[in-house]
Amino acid sequence: MALPGGARASDERLRRRLDAIARLLDSRWRIPGTGIRFGADPVLNLLPGIGLLASKGVSAYLLWEAWRLGVPGRTLLRMLGHLGLDTLISAVPVVGWAGDVFYRANLRNMALLRAHLARQTP
């Protein structure tokens, strides 16, 4: 027997998991003595080729889950734009690594997802 609100509870668990992944990729650690935060995304991009594929693959997973949660096409396109720009920034050696620290596509995408979910809640 399904509990009332079970789908919402499951969506909330998924949202928390996606938030944790986005924070890990974009802002998990802080550089001591500064307010600058960075995540696994710029660190992975130090590995030529495979790092870019790994970090953007996880970012694409966030978009796939957003699609499964019913995010409208227009919002998904915005999210894809964030990911595309992040990929372009990451593809530039050295400069792109620093750019990854400041352009946090995954956190931007999670903000869009949270806004969508908030509109869905009665």
Side-chain angles (χ1 to χ4, degrees):
M1 179 171 175
L3 295 173
R8 283 190 216 128
S10 134
D11 287 352
E12 180 59 25
R13 283 192 302 274
L14 176 60
R15 189 202 55 80
R16 282 196 311 265
R17 187 174 73 235
L18 296 177
D19 267 334
I21 291 169
R23 280 192 312 276
L24 174 66
L25 286 172
D26 287 347
S27 65
R28 172 65 177 93
W29 301 282
R30 187 175 59 83
I31 297 174
T34 72
I36 299 172
R37 299 190 69 80
F38 68 98
D41 192 14
V43 174
L44 284 170
N45 289 331
L46 293 173
L47 303 170
I50 190 90
L52 181 66
L53 288 174
S55 67
K56 300 318 171 217
V58 175
S59 296
Y61 165 73
L62 296 175
L63 266 67
W64 181 72
E65 287 292 359
W67 174 77
R68 286 187 55 220
L69 287 170
V71 171
R74 183 178 175 142
T75 304
L76 284 172
L77 283 174
R78 285 183 65 197
M79 295 171 85
L80 187 59
H82 291 154
L83 178 56
L85 182 56
D86 189 39
T87 302
L88 287 174
I89 291 169
S90 299
V92 179
V94 183
V95 174
W97 300 327
D100 262 338
V101 171
F102 298 104
Y103 186 76
R104 299 176 176 142
N106 299 298
L107 292 177
R108 291 169 189 255
N109 286 342
M110 286 308 301
L112 290 172
L113 178 58
R114 278 191 302 278
H116 166 74
L117 294 174
R119 287 188 303 269
Q120 302 304 311
T121 304

